[in-house]
Amino acid sequence: MDIENSIMATKQGFEDSFSLGDYYNKQTQDEHHLKNILDFLPFSADMKILDLGTGSGYLSFPIAKKYPNISIIGLDIVEKALEVNRFKANEENVQNISFITYDGVNFPFADNEFDMVISRYALHHFPDIQKSISEISRVIKSDGFLFISDPTPNVNDTSRFVDGYMQQKKDGHIKFYTKDEWLQICGKYGLRFKKSFDSTIRFPKKKDTAYGFDELLKKHDKEIIESYELEVVGNEIYITERVNNILFCKR
């Protein structure tokens, strides 16, 4: 799949997911994880922050409300989600937040515009990760920060079962990256590791969106599948994924 088609698949998949409302929230929200992220990030007064792949504004809104002197822009390809976010910001009178759509490749911002870029559960959908990290580095000021929170394969998942599983839902999943892969990719663009913490996410997927699920199970070792604590409950499939939470600094 080429980049343009991958972006369109992601956009359509997330428009479908957002239309489910509470079910999307059930898949992605975790108040304990959110608190850990907010405690972990190096906020300071008058920062300008880019929330890349903002989705429902899950990070943007709490940051904007807690730090009224910080300016936040949420960037995403899914216009429907951004419309909902704009309405919510207006209804809740959150004035230090805005939401912008883009083409999924080129960031509509000047060089050195942001003090921090944050991204949660989004980068595994980006079809040209080298270009995206290059763009992230371009828009971050010197000594600014990048925070990535994204699932990662289990250590023993050498056959990449988890990527095959995620790709069963047609929402443009490309790849989960290991911590070492993030260090290598980000290091190429002047982003140096500062600190990290690990977490997990356990979430449901509707079985009727997991196309070829039974065939997928036959292709991978039982031990690998079991390491994700896979469980089928009615029409839902649950797995537990490890999550990298990594802070980089631009030098």
Side-chain angles (χ1 to χ4, degrees), residues 46-164:
D46 301 319
M47 267 188 163
K48 186 173 184 180
I49 296 175
L50 175 64
D51 182 9
L52 178 59
T54 187
S56 63
Y58 187 66
L59 290 182
S60 290
F61 278 105
I63 294 171
K65 291 176 181 179
K66 186 175 182 179
Y67 301 99
N69 292 327
I70 286 178
S71 172
I72 301 181
I73 296 177
L75 185 67
D76 209 298
I77 62 174
V78 187
E79 180 61 34
K80 288 183 179 180
L82 301 185
E83 290 174 0
V84 172
N85 292 349
R86 294 182 190 115
F87 179 82
K88 178 180 177 181
N90 184 62
E91 285 289 293
E92 298 181 2
N93 195 31
V94 184
Q95 298 183 7
N96 57 328
I97 194 169
S98 59
F99 295 95
I100 297 175
T101 190
Y102 79 123
D103 64 8
V105 178
N106 301 295
F107 292 9
F109 306 111
D111 294 356
N112 309 310
E113 186 166 343
F114 295 94
D115 299 287
M116 189 188 309
V117 175
I118 58 178
S119 186
R120 177 182 182 267
Y121 297 175
L123 289 176
H124 57 273
H125 291 285
F126 284 44
D128 188 344
I129 197 64
Q130 300 282 343
K131 171 65 175 176
S132 296
I133 297 299
S134 172
E135 281 288 89
I136 288 170
S137 180
R138 179 182 67 79
V139 302
I140 295 177
K141 298 175 183 178
S142 180
D143 293 328
F145 299 97
L146 165 64
F147 173 68
I148 295 173
S149 179
D150 214 44
T152 184
N154 286 352
V155 174
N156 67 337
D157 188 3
T158 54
S159 62
R160 291 282 181 155
F161 161 78
V162 71
D163 286 328

Side-chain angles (χ1 to χ4, degrees), residues 194-218:
K194 188 170 181 64
K195 60 180 180 176
S196 66
F197 72 92
D198 297 329
S199 60
T200 61
I201 178 174
R202 183 166 180 80
F203 66 95
K205 175 189 290 189
K206 290 185 180 295
K207 193 174 181 181
D208 55 14
T209 68
Y211 305 105
F213 175 67
D214 293 333
E215 289 74 14
L216 178 71
L217 297 183
K218 297 174 184 177

Side-chain angles (χ1 to χ4, degrees), residues 133 146 148 177-196 244-249:
I133 297 299
L146 165 64
I148 295 173
Y177 297 88
T178 65
K179 183 176 180 179
D180 285 344
E181 286 174 323
W182 282 127
L183 296 180
Q184 179 184 29
I185 295 168
C186 292
K188 287 177 60 177
Y189 299 99
L191 298 162
R192 306 304 177 194
F193 173 79
K194 188 170 181 64
K195 60 180 180 176
S196 66
N244 283 320
N245 301 273
I246 311 173
L247 185 69
F248 295 90
C249 185

